[in-house]
Amino acid sequence: MVLFVAEEKAVAYKRAAPTFKIRDNIHRKQHRLNPEEIRFDTHLRISGNSFHFGITDTGTAGHRQYDLKLQVIQDEGPWSPPLSPGSEDTEQSPTKVESESYDAKRQHEIRTYLRYIKNGHENIKNLEAFHQYRDGDKLMMAQFFRICDGGNLKQLRMGYREKEMIPPEQFIWRIYSQLIEALAFLHNEHPKYQNDPRHLNRPSILHPDLAAENVYLVWPFMQPRDDIYPDVRLGDFEKSLFVPIGKGVVIDDPDADPKYKPPEVNFISAKSDVWRAGSIMYSLTKPPESTSTKMPWITEQNKSFANLTKEHQQVILMDPRRVHPIKFNYSEDLNVMIQRSLVLDHNKRPSAGELLKELENPAKLRKSAAWMYKALPSWMVDKVITPNNTFSQERLNKLIQPDQMALARKAHKKAKAAKRNRMREEEERKRVEDSREEEILEAADRYFTWEFRESDLGRMEIVMDNDECDASIKRFAVIRAAGLKAGTWVEPGPTYEEFLRLEKIYLAVKDQASQTK
């Protein structure tokens, strides 16, 4: 069943649909989406404060599908200076700002798309449309992207690790070369765009948040999936930075943990993105390893990396153990190309543009090598769309009706409370069982001491049969626990004859209590 919080977001959106209009990305094909013709199909994921939904535009003949990203707009100004006196950024009228989604347009990710990415690239998760709307007292931002029906590399990596498998080499060449293509475009180093007036003199767009979860996969449209691989779409630019080509920026973060960062840590440049891309490929081809730092540095006396000497920091950051050859199942050519993006010294690490040239021929050769093709596992699709993340249209339509969401919220709250109670009861049951187990183990130790004494004195025989021994220990544990509770038990225990008498009394009392009930 879809998460209730996702249902809430979907219902709030559908209820608000008559109040807003959707704006197209002026640099892309016009989609002319109608809010009231949007159908929520799946809840794809929650990432930070963003909700991603698979939706269908039912107003088009082909029923185009999109990834709808919803998130709260945290601030409504002040805004950076407008690009020109006639820019929409100069608009101050609250009504106009609301109706034309100017607050959404001014948000960092949308600005990144509209000002810099513009028409985009085939390996970028391109913005198709956007708008803002109200969800109660929250101002929300909605962004539309083409659906990435292959999930993302994080999901894929988790699946392979669970199955203790590795992806096919031809697939790695494909996604690696496409990811570098995307970075070359972002960094404005792609030869295809050198003379494109939309990107002339554009700064490099850095992606310091680049990770496996924002490298998306999309299956080629209207093509059978039995002899082809999905393509890469790089997305999620909320934290993008803009710098002159070839330059970088120092982020002042003295408490930064360098473990999963590039060796240059707080100096962020286009080459940092190259390292991150290489790290993603490394994690796919060298599971379960990563390019994290290998040398421990946190001690009781020192918790901060910044407190270490520069020399000590460099030893940790430039430790060659961060990068090893990938799995021997892969070719040496692939190993060399991945290692190229993982050069520890960023000054010697190739840029995305340089790496793109190096990858061009070997990637093209592998792409055309039909003999290398190995199908991706079927569970790859199963992890993206499941019964648990697919909306019930009947339930959604019901929740949109007046008062139904409030009733559902109460029912959900009640169900959560019941679940918490069940969890507490289960924890208590387990605690009692564990306590009983500990009592039996302790009683077993006591029992053997007691048994040895009683047999040595000739008052009982040592039990040799394992099953009989276990039964005797349990009997002893029960009578001992009752005696300890009553404060009458003295270690190591009574005589065997007295034990039998106490057991008889205990069983009689227990039998009487059960009859009374």
Side-chain angles (χ1 to χ4, degrees), residues 176 180 271 274-279 281 336-343 349-350 355:
Y176 184 32
I180 297 301
K271 291 187 177 182
V274 172
W275 170 276
R276 291 186 179 90
S279 295
M281 295 302 111
V336 168
M337 290 310 303
I338 291 177
Q339 301 283 330
R340 288 286 289 138
S341 60
L342 295 174
V343 175
R349 193 182 308 146
L355 197 53

mmCIF file with all atom_site columns, all heavy atoms in Angstrom, residues 176 180 271 274-279 281 336-343 349-350 355:
data_model
loop_
_atom_site.group_PDB
_atom_site.id
_atom_site.type_symbol
_atom_site.label_atom_id
_atom_site.label_alt_id
_atom_site.label_comp_id
_atom_site.label_asym_id
_atom_site.label_entity_id
_atom_site.label_seq_id
_atom_site.pdbx_PDB_ins_code
_atom_site.Cartn_x
_atom_site.Cartn_y
_atom_site.Cartn_z
_atom_site.occupancy
_atom_site.B_iso_or_equiv
_atom_site.pdbx_formal_charge
_atom_site.auth_seq_id
_atom_site.auth_comp_id
_atom_site.auth_asym_id
_atom_site.auth_atom_id
_atom_site.pdbx_PDB_model_num
ATOM 1   N N   . TYR A 1 176 ? 28.507 4.707  -17.947 1.00 0.00 ? 176 TYR A N   1
ATOM 2   C CA  . TYR A 1 176 ? 29.682 5.520  -17.605 1.00 0.00 ? 176 TYR A CA  1
ATOM 3   C C   . TYR A 1 176 ? 29.893 6.604  -18.660 1.00 0.00 ? 176 TYR A C   1
ATOM 4   O O   . TYR A 1 176 ? 30.051 7.794  -18.338 1.00 0.00 ? 176 TYR A O   1
ATOM 5   C CB  . TYR A 1 176 ? 30.905 4.612  -17.501 1.00 0.00 ? 176 TYR A CB  1
ATOM 6   C CG  . TYR A 1 176 ? 32.183 5.295  -17.059 1.00 0.00 ? 176 TYR A CG  1
ATOM 7   C CD1 . TYR A 1 176 ? 32.170 6.372  -16.183 1.00 0.00 ? 176 TYR A CD1 1
ATOM 8   C CD2 . TYR A 1 176 ? 33.419 4.843  -17.516 1.00 0.00 ? 176 TYR A CD2 1
ATOM 9   C CE1 . TYR A 1 176 ? 33.350 6.981  -15.769 1.00 0.00 ? 176 TYR A CE1 1
ATOM 10  C CE2 . TYR A 1 176 ? 34.608 5.439  -17.108 1.00 0.00 ? 176 TYR A CE2 1
ATOM 11  C CZ  . TYR A 1 176 ? 34.567 6.511  -16.241 1.00 0.00 ? 176 TYR A CZ  1
ATOM 12  O OH  . TYR A 1 176 ? 35.727 7.110  -15.834 1.00 0.00 ? 176 TYR A OH  1
ATOM 13  N N   . ILE A 1 180 ? 29.436 10.724 -18.120 1.00 0.00 ? 180 ILE A N   1
ATOM 14  C CA  . ILE A 1 180 ? 30.492 11.688 -18.444 1.00 0.00 ? 180 ILE A CA  1
ATOM 15  C C   . ILE A 1 180 ? 29.995 12.675 -19.503 1.00 0.00 ? 180 ILE A C   1
ATOM 16  O O   . ILE A 1 180 ? 30.329 13.867 -19.467 1.00 0.00 ? 180 ILE A O   1
ATOM 17  C CB  . ILE A 1 180 ? 31.769 10.957 -18.911 1.00 0.00 ? 180 ILE A CB  1
ATOM 18  C CG1 . ILE A 1 180 ? 32.332 10.089 -17.771 1.00 0.00 ? 180 ILE A CG1 1
ATOM 19  C CG2 . ILE A 1 180 ? 32.821 11.954 -19.386 1.00 0.00 ? 180 ILE A CG2 1
ATOM 20  C CD1 . ILE A 1 180 ? 32.678 10.861 -16.502 1.00 0.00 ? 180 ILE A CD1 1
ATOM 21  N N   . LYS A 1 271 ? 36.161 18.862 -11.624 1.00 0.00 ? 271 LYS A N   1
ATOM 22  C CA  . LYS A 1 271 ? 36.880 17.594 -11.453 1.00 0.00 ? 271 LYS A CA  1
ATOM 23  C C   . LYS A 1 271 ? 36.397 16.824 -10.218 1.00 0.00 ? 271 LYS A C   1
ATOM 24  O O   . LYS A 1 271 ? 36.583 15.612 -10.135 1.00 0.00 ? 271 LYS A O   1
ATOM 25  C CB  . LYS A 1 271 ? 38.382 17.852 -11.395 1.00 0.00 ? 271 LYS A CB  1
ATOM 26  C CG  . LYS A 1 271 ? 38.947 18.315 -12.742 1.00 0.00 ? 271 LYS A CG  1
ATOM 27  C CD  . LYS A 1 271 ? 40.456 18.401 -12.723 1.00 0.00 ? 271 LYS A CD  1
ATOM 28  C CE  . LYS A 1 271 ? 40.996 18.800 -14.095 1.00 0.00 ? 271 LYS A CE  1
ATOM 29  N NZ  . LYS A 1 271 ? 42.477 18.849 -14.114 1.00 0.00 ? 271 LYS A NZ  1
ATOM 30  N N   . VAL A 1 274 ? 33.798 14.686 -11.582 1.00 0.00 ? 274 VAL A N   1
ATOM 31  C CA  . VAL A 1 274 ? 34.394 13.535 -12.279 1.00 0.00 ? 274 VAL A CA  1
ATOM 32  C C   . VAL A 1 274 ? 34.729 12.443 -11.270 1.00 0.00 ? 274 VAL A C   1
ATOM 33  O O   . VAL A 1 274 ? 34.478 11.255 -11.505 1.00 0.00 ? 274 VAL A O   1
ATOM 34  C CB  . VAL A 1 274 ? 35.648 13.965 -13.069 1.00 0.00 ? 274 VAL A CB  1
ATOM 35  C CG1 . VAL A 1 274 ? 36.383 12.744 -13.624 1.00 0.00 ? 274 VAL A CG1 1
ATOM 36  C CG2 . VAL A 1 274 ? 35.263 14.912 -14.204 1.00 0.00 ? 274 VAL A CG2 1
ATOM 37  N N   . TRP A 1 275 ? 35.278 12.839 -10.123 1.00 0.00 ? 275 TRP A N   1
ATOM 38  C CA  . TRP A 1 275 ? 35.584 11.859 -9.064  1.00 0.00 ? 275 TRP A CA  1
ATOM 39  C C   . TRP A 1 275 ? 34.302 11.162 -8.600  1.00 0.00 ? 275 TRP A C   1
ATOM 40  O O   . TRP A 1 275 ? 34.269 9.945  -8.451  1.00 0.00 ? 275 TRP A O   1
ATOM 41  C CB  . TRP A 1 275 ? 36.264 12.549 -7.880  1.00 0.00 ? 275 TRP A CB  1
ATOM 42  C CG  . TRP A 1 275 ? 36.392 11.660 -6.666  1.00 0.00 ? 275 TRP A CG  1
ATOM 43  C CD1 . TRP A 1 275 ? 35.450 11.433 -5.706  1.00 0.00 ? 275 TRP A CD1 1
ATOM 44  C CD2 . TRP A 1 275 ? 37.517 10.847 -6.307  1.00 0.00 ? 275 TRP A CD2 1
ATOM 45  N NE1 . TRP A 1 275 ? 35.912 10.547 -4.768  1.00 0.00 ? 275 TRP A NE1 1
ATOM 46  C CE2 . TRP A 1 275 ? 37.176 10.168 -5.110  1.00 0.00 ? 275 TRP A CE2 1
ATOM 47  C CE3 . TRP A 1 275 ? 38.772 10.640 -6.865  1.00 0.00 ? 275 TRP A CE3 1
ATOM 48  C CZ2 . TRP A 1 275 ? 38.054 9.299  -4.471  1.00 0.00 ? 275 TRP A CZ2 1
ATOM 49  C CZ3 . TRP A 1 275 ? 39.646 9.767  -6.221  1.00 0.00 ? 275 TRP A CZ3 1
ATOM 50  C CH2 . TRP A 1 275 ? 39.289 9.109  -5.043  1.00 0.00 ? 275 TRP A CH2 1
ATOM 51  N N   . ARG A 1 276 ? 33.262 11.947 -8.376  1.00 0.00 ? 276 ARG A N   1
ATOM 52  C CA  . ARG A 1 276 ? 32.007 11.357 -7.900  1.00 0.00 ? 276 ARG A CA  1
ATOM 53  C C   . ARG A 1 276 ? 31.439 10.377 -8.925  1.00 0.00 ? 276 ARG A C   1
ATOM 54  O O   . ARG A 1 276 ? 30.917 9.324  -8.567  1.00 0.00 ? 276 ARG A O   1
ATOM 55  C CB  . ARG A 1 276 ? 30.992 12.460 -7.585  1.00 0.00 ? 276 ARG A CB  1
ATOM 56  C CG  . ARG A 1 276 ? 31.364 13.302 -6.372  1.00 0.00 ? 276 ARG A CG  1
ATOM 57  C CD  . ARG A 1 276 ? 30.258 14.283 -6.002  1.00 0.00 ? 276 ARG A CD  1
ATOM 58  N NE  . ARG A 1 276 ? 30.618 15.064 -4.827  1.00 0.00 ? 276 ARG A NE  1
ATOM 59  C CZ  . ARG A 1 276 ? 31.261 16.219 -4.848  1.00 0.00 ? 276 ARG A CZ  1
ATOM 60  N NH1 . ARG A 1 276 ? 31.603 16.741 -6.020  1.00 0.00 ? 276 ARG A NH1 1
ATOM 61  N NH2 . ARG A 1 276 ? 31.564 16.859 -3.742  1.00 0.00 ? 276 ARG A NH2 1
ATOM 62  N N   . ALA A 1 277 ? 31.531 10.736 -10.194 1.00 0.00 ? 277 ALA A N   1
ATOM 63  C CA  . ALA A 1 277 ? 31.057 9.827  -11.248 1.00 0.00 ? 277 ALA A CA  1
ATOM 64  C C   . ALA A 1 277 ? 31.861 8.530  -11.228 1.00 0.00 ? 277 ALA A C   1
ATOM 65  O O   . ALA A 1 277 ? 31.302 7.430  -11.319 1.00 0.00 ? 277 ALA A O   1
ATOM 66  C CB  . ALA A 1 277 ? 31.164 10.504 -12.612 1.00 0.00 ? 277 ALA A CB  1
ATOM 67  N N   . GLY A 1 278 ? 33.180 8.668  -11.104 1.00 0.00 ? 278 GLY A N   1
ATOM 68  C CA  . GLY A 1 278 ? 34.029 7.481  -11.036 1.00 0.00 ? 278 GLY A CA  1
ATOM 69  C C   . GLY A 1 278 ? 33.728 6.636  -9.813  1.00 0.00 ? 278 GLY A C   1
ATOM 70  O O   . GLY A 1 278 ? 33.745 5.397  -9.875  1.00 0.00 ? 278 GLY A O   1
ATOM 71  N N   . SER A 1 279 ? 33.425 7.290  -8.703  1.00 0.00 ? 279 SER A N   1
ATOM 72  C CA  . SER A 1 279 ? 33.104 6.564  -7.466  1.00 0.00 ? 279 SER A CA  1
ATOM 73  C C   . SER A 1 279 ? 31.837 5.734  -7.627  1.00 0.00 ? 279 SER A C   1
ATOM 74  O O   . SER A 1 279 ? 31.739 4.621  -7.102  1.00 0.00 ? 279 SER A O   1
ATOM 75  C CB  . SER A 1 279 ? 32.929 7.551  -6.306  1.00 0.00 ? 279 SER A CB  1
ATOM 76  O OG  . SER A 1 279 ? 34.145 8.203  -6.018  1.00 0.00 ? 279 SER A OG  1
ATOM 77  N N   . MET A 1 281 ? 30.727 4.454  -10.466 1.00 0.00 ? 281 MET A N   1
ATOM 78  C CA  . MET A 1 281 ? 31.083 3.308  -11.302 1.00 0.00 ? 281 MET A CA  1
ATOM 79  C C   . MET A 1 281 ? 31.902 2.284  -10.511 1.00 0.00 ? 281 MET A C   1
ATOM 80  O O   . MET A 1 281 ? 31.727 1.075  -10.656 1.00 0.00 ? 281 MET A O   1
ATOM 81  C CB  . MET A 1 281 ? 31.889 3.773  -12.522 1.00 0.00 ? 281 MET A CB  1
ATOM 82  C CG  . MET A 1 281 ? 31.132 4.659  -13.489 1.00 0.00 ? 281 MET A CG  1
ATOM 83  S SD  . MET A 1 281 ? 29.638 3.868  -14.141 1.00 0.00 ? 281 MET A SD  1
ATOM 84  C CE  . MET A 1 281 ? 28.379 4.850  -13.340 1.00 0.00 ? 281 MET A CE  1
ATOM 85  N N   . VAL A 1 336 ? 40.915 0.624  -16.479 1.00 0.00 ? 336 VAL A N   1
ATOM 86  C CA  . VAL A 1 336 ? 41.754 1.806  -16.739 1.00 0.00 ? 336 VAL A CA  1
ATOM 87  C C   . VAL A 1 336 ? 40.891 3.056  -16.862 1.00 0.00 ? 336 VAL A C   1
ATOM 88  O O   . VAL A 1 336 ? 41.214 4.115  -16.302 1.00 0.00 ? 336 VAL A O   1
ATOM 89  C CB  . VAL A 1 336 ? 42.597 1.598  -18.016 1.00 0.00 ? 336 VAL A CB  1
ATOM 90  C CG1 . VAL A 1 336 ? 43.246 2.911  -18.457 1.00 0.00 ? 336 VAL A CG1 1
ATOM 91  C CG2 . VAL A 1 336 ? 43.670 0.542  -17.773 1.00 0.00 ? 336 VAL A CG2 1
ATOM 92  N N   . MET A 1 337 ? 39.765 2.944  -17.568 1.00 0.00 ? 337 MET A N   1
ATOM 93  C CA  . MET A 1 337 ? 38.925 4.119  -17.786 1.00 0.00 ? 337 MET A CA  1
ATOM 94  C C   . MET A 1 337 ? 38.273 4.597  -16.489 1.00 0.00 ? 337 MET A C   1
ATOM 95  O O   . MET A 1 337 ? 38.148 5.802  -16.253 1.00 0.00 ? 337 MET A O   1
ATOM 96  C CB  . MET A 1 337 ? 37.845 3.815  -18.830 1.00 0.00 ? 337 MET A CB  1
ATOM 97  C CG  . MET A 1 337 ? 38.366 3.638  -20.246 1.00 0.00 ? 337 MET A CG  1
ATOM 98  S SD  . MET A 1 337 ? 39.465 4.971  -20.814 1.00 0.00 ? 337 MET A SD  1
ATOM 99  C CE  . MET A 1 337 ? 38.432 6.396  -20.618 1.00 0.00 ? 337 MET A CE  1
ATOM 100 N N   . ILE A 1 338 ? 37.865 3.668  -15.639 1.00 0.00 ? 338 ILE A N   1
ATOM 101 C CA  . ILE A 1 338 ? 37.281 4.073  -14.354 1.00 0.00 ? 338 ILE A CA  1
ATOM 102 C C   . ILE A 1 338 ? 38.355 4.686  -13.460 1.00 0.00 ? 338 ILE A C   1
ATOM 103 O O   . ILE A 1 338 ? 38.118 5.693  -12.779 1.00 0.00 ? 338 ILE A O   1
ATOM 104 C CB  . ILE A 1 338 ? 36.584 2.870  -13.673 1.00 0.00 ? 338 ILE A CB  1
ATOM 105 C CG1 . ILE A 1 338 ? 35.329 2.484  -14.462 1.00 0.00 ? 338 ILE A CG1 1
ATOM 106 C CG2 . ILE A 1 338 ? 36.213 3.200  -12.222 1.00 0.00 ? 338 ILE A CG2 1
ATOM 107 C CD1 . ILE A 1 338 ? 34.597 1.273  -13.937 1.00 0.00 ? 338 ILE A CD1 1
ATOM 108 N N   . GLN A 1 339 ? 39.555 4.089  -13.491 1.00 0.00 ? 339 GLN A N   1
ATOM 109 C CA  . GLN A 1 339 ? 40.657 4.630  -12.688 1.00 0.00 ? 339 GLN A CA  1
ATOM 110 C C   . GLN A 1 339 ? 41.018 6.051  -13.128 1.00 0.00 ? 339 GLN A C   1
ATOM 111 O O   . GLN A 1 339 ? 41.464 6.862  -12.309 1.00 0.00 ? 339 GLN A O   1
ATOM 112 C CB  . GLN A 1 339 ? 41.901 3.733  -12.825 1.00 0.00 ? 339 GLN A CB  1
ATOM 113 C CG  . GLN A 1 339 ? 41.704 2.289  -12.400 1.00 0.00 ? 339 GLN A CG  1
ATOM 114 C CD  . GLN A 1 339 ? 41.710 2.092  -10.900 1.00 0.00 ? 339 GLN A CD  1
ATOM 115 O OE1 . GLN A 1 339 ? 42.365 2.829  -10.180 1.00 0.00 ? 339 GLN A OE1 1
ATOM 116 N NE2 . GLN A 1 339 ? 40.971 1.113  -10.424 1.00 0.00 ? 339 GLN A NE2 1
ATOM 117 N N   . ARG A 1 340 ? 40.807 6.362  -14.391 1.00 0.00 ? 340 ARG A N   1
ATOM 118 C CA  . ARG A 1 340 ? 41.129 7.704  -14.893 1.00 0.00 ? 340 ARG A CA  1
ATOM 119 C C   . ARG A 1 340 ? 40.320 8.779  -14.165 1.00 0.00 ? 340 ARG A C   1
ATOM 120 O O   . ARG A 1 340 ? 40.807 9.881  -13.941 1.00 0.00 ? 340 ARG A O   1
ATOM 121 C CB  . ARG A 1 340 ? 40.858 7.788  -16.397 1.00 0.00 ? 340 ARG A CB  1
ATOM 122 C CG  . ARG A 1 340 ? 41.829 7.034  -17.256 1.00 0.00 ? 340 ARG A CG  1
ATOM 123 C CD  . ARG A 1 340 ? 43.173 7.740  -17.346 1.00 0.00 ? 340 ARG A CD  1
ATOM 124 N NE  . ARG A 1 340 ? 43.102 8.965  -18.134 1.00 0.00 ? 340 ARG A NE  1
ATOM 125 C CZ  . ARG A 1 340 ? 43.693 10.109 -17.803 1.00 0.00 ? 340 ARG A CZ  1
ATOM 126 N NH1 . ARG A 1 340 ? 44.374 10.200 -16.676 1.00 0.00 ? 340 ARG A NH1 1
ATOM 127 N NH2 . ARG A 1 340 ? 43.602 11.170 -18.587 1.00 0.00 ? 340 ARG A NH2 1
ATOM 128 N N   . SER A 1 341 ? 39.101 8.456  -13.813 1.00 0.00 ? 341 SER A N   1
ATOM 129 C CA  . SER A 1 341 ? 38.266 9.443  -13.116 1.00 0.00 ? 341 SER A CA  1
ATOM 130 C C   . SER A 1 341 ? 38.549 9.480  -11.622 1.00 0.00 ? 341 SER A C   1
ATOM 131 O O   . SER A 1 341 ? 38.022 10.343 -10.913 1.00 0.00 ? 341 SER A O   1
ATOM 132 C CB  . SER A 1 341 ? 36.781 9.143  -13.352 1.00 0.00 ? 341 SER A CB  1
ATOM 133 O OG  . SER A 1 341 ? 36.461 7.853  -12.873 1.00 0.00 ? 341 SER A OG  1
ATOM 134 N N   . LEU A 1 342 ? 39.386 8.554  -11.154 1.00 0.00 ? 342 LEU A N   1
ATOM 135 C CA  . LEU A 1 342 ? 39.652 8.451  -9.718  1.00 0.00 ? 342 LEU A CA  1
ATOM 136 C C   . LEU A 1 342 ? 41.108 8.763  -9.379  1.00 0.00 ? 342 LEU A C   1
ATOM 137 O O   . LEU A 1 342 ? 41.659 8.234  -8.413  1.00 0.00 ? 342 LEU A O   1
ATOM 138 C CB  . LEU A 1 342 ? 39.276 7.045  -9.220  1.00 0.00 ? 342 LEU A CB  1
ATOM 139 C CG  . LEU A 1 342 ? 37.783 6.703  -9.320  1.00 0.00 ? 342 LEU A CG  1
ATOM 140 C CD1 . LEU A 1 342 ? 37.535 5.248  -8.955  1.00 0.00 ? 342 LEU A CD1 1
ATOM 141 C CD2 . LEU A 1 342 ? 36.950 7.623  -8.427  1.00 0.00 ? 342 LEU A CD2 1
ATOM 142 N N   . VAL A 1 343 ? 41.725 9.614  -10.176 1.00 0.00 ? 343 VAL A N   1
ATOM 143 C CA  . VAL A 1 343 ? 43.080 10.077 -9.857  1.00 0.00 ? 343 VAL A CA  1
ATOM 144 C C   . VAL A 1 343 ? 42.985 10.931 -8.597  1.00 0.00 ? 343 VAL A C   1
ATOM 145 O O   . VAL A 1 343 ? 42.180 11.869 -8.526  1.00 0.00 ? 343 VAL A O   1
ATOM 146 C CB  . VAL A 1 343 ? 43.671 10.890 -11.029 1.00 0.00 ? 343 VAL A CB  1
ATOM 147 C CG1 . VAL A 1 343 ? 45.025 11.477 -10.646 1.00 0.00 ? 343 VAL A CG1 1
ATOM 148 C CG2 . VAL A 1 343 ? 43.793 10.005 -12.267 1.00 0.00 ? 343 VAL A CG2 1
ATOM 149 N N   . ARG A 1 349 ? 43.805 14.873 -12.508 1.00 0.00 ? 349 ARG A N   1
ATOM 150 C CA  . ARG A 1 349 ? 42.582 14.171 -12.911 1.00 0.00 ? 349 ARG A CA  1
ATOM 151 C C   . ARG A 1 349 ? 42.034 14.819 -14.180 1.00 0.00 ? 349 ARG A C   1
ATOM 152 O O   . ARG A 1 349 ? 41.984 16.049 -14.283 1.00 0.00 ? 349 ARG A O   1
ATOM 153 C CB  . ARG A 1 349 ? 41.554 14.257 -11.786 1.00 0.00 ? 349 ARG A CB  1
ATOM 154 C CG  . ARG A 1 349 ? 40.349 13.321 -11.924 1.00 0.00 ? 349 ARG A CG  1
ATOM 155 C CD  . ARG A 1 349 ? 39.381 13.545 -10.766 1.00 0.00 ? 349 ARG A CD  1
ATOM 156 N NE  . ARG A 1 349 ? 40.058 13.474 -9.484  1.00 0.00 ? 349 ARG A NE  1
ATOM 157 C CZ  . ARG A 1 349 ? 39.732 14.199 -8.422  1.00 0.00 ? 349 ARG A CZ  1
ATOM 158 N NH1 . ARG A 1 349 ? 38.739 15.080 -8.494  1.00 0.00 ? 349 ARG A NH1 1
ATOM 159 N NH2 . ARG A 1 349 ? 40.407 14.081 -7.293  1.00 0.00 ? 349 ARG A NH2 1
ATOM 160 N N   . PRO A 1 350 ? 41.608 14.034 -15.157 1.00 0.00 ? 350 PRO A N   1
ATOM 161 C CA  . PRO A 1 350 ? 41.075 14.637 -16.391 1.00 0.00 ? 350 PRO A CA  1
ATOM 162 C C   . PRO A 1 350 ? 39.736 15.320 -16.140 1.00 0.00 ? 350 PRO A C   1
ATOM 163 O O   . PRO A 1 350 ? 38.996 14.960 -15.221 1.00 0.00 ? 350 PRO A O   1
ATOM 164 C CB  . PRO A 1 350 ? 40.913 13.444 -17.334 1.00 0.00 ? 350 PRO A CB  1
ATOM 165 C CG  . PRO A 1 350 ? 40.772 12.260 -16.433 1.00 0.00 ? 350 PRO A CG  1
ATOM 166 C CD  . PRO A 1 350 ? 41.618 12.555 -15.226 1.00 0.00 ? 350 PRO A CD  1
ATOM 167 N N   . LEU A 1 355 ? 37.875 13.388 -20.556 1.00 0.00 ? 355 LEU A N   1
ATOM 168 C CA  . LEU A 1 355 ? 37.500 11.988 -20.360 1.00 0.00 ? 355 LEU A CA  1
ATOM 169 C C   . LEU A 1 355 ? 36.497 11.537 -21.420 1.00 0.00 ? 355 LEU A C   1
ATOM 170 O O   . LEU A 1 355 ? 36.521 10.382 -21.871 1.00 0.00 ? 355 LEU A O   1
ATOM 171 C CB  . LEU A 1 355 ? 36.913 11.810 -18.959 1.00 0.00 ? 355 LEU A CB  1
ATOM 172 C CG  . LEU A 1 355 ? 36.825 10.391 -18.399 1.00 0.00 ? 355 LEU A CG  1
ATOM 173 C CD1 . LEU A 1 355 ? 38.170 9.681  -18.467 1.00 0.00 ? 355 LEU A CD1 1
ATOM 174 C CD2 . LEU A 1 355 ? 36.320 10.422 -16.959 1.00 0.00 ? 355 LEU A CD2 1
#
